[in-house]
Amino acid sequence: NSNNIHSSNWQGLQHSLLRRNAALLVRVRHKATGQTVVVANAHLFWNPGYEYVKLCQAHYVLLQAREFLHKNNNVNNNYDEPLILAGD
């Protein structure tokens, strides 16, 4: 039955995306100038057989960083704040 095949593939995909990796988003401010920058640091999953997991995680971190920039930016409504993305 093709529905069982699709269901099985979907469950396998869902299981492969469940990882215990971490990301951290912080806003830092230069004391003298007041300039702020958001830094996102992520530890992404690595396995040559599951490269799509790393890609999905990186995409998710970028989505969260964009939301962080817009939701938590109370500095003159400046949405052109720099973002540094780092990780391994």
Side-chain angles (χ1 to χ4, degrees), residues 16-77:
S16 69
L17 291 172
L18 297 176
R19 301 289 167 201
R20 294 181 185 258
N21 299 87
L24 179 68
L25 288 162
V26 297
R27 175 175 282 114
V28 293
R29 181 184 324 275
H30 189 274
K31 283 185 178 182
T33 66
Q35 173 68 41
T36 60
V37 62
V38 171
V39 180
N41 187 33
H43 174 67
L44 304 178
F45 179 72
W46 181 86
N47 184 319
Y50 297 94
E51 291 179 351
Y52 63 92
V53 174
K54 185 178 2 184
L55 179 62
C56 290
Q57 288 178 334
H59 181 251
Y60 183 75
V61 169
L62 288 172
L63 289 175
Q64 294 304 309
R66 181 174 62 182
E67 185 176 331
F68 184 86
L69 282 165
H70 292 287
K71 274 181 121 174
N72 299 302
N73 191 339
N74 54 13
V75 182
N76 301 325
N77 292 322

Side-chain angles (χ1 to χ4, degrees), residues 3-13:
N3 285 338
N4 288 340
I5 293 171
H6 293 292
S7 176
S8 175
N9 289 343
W10 179 246
Q11 289 172 349
L13 176 64

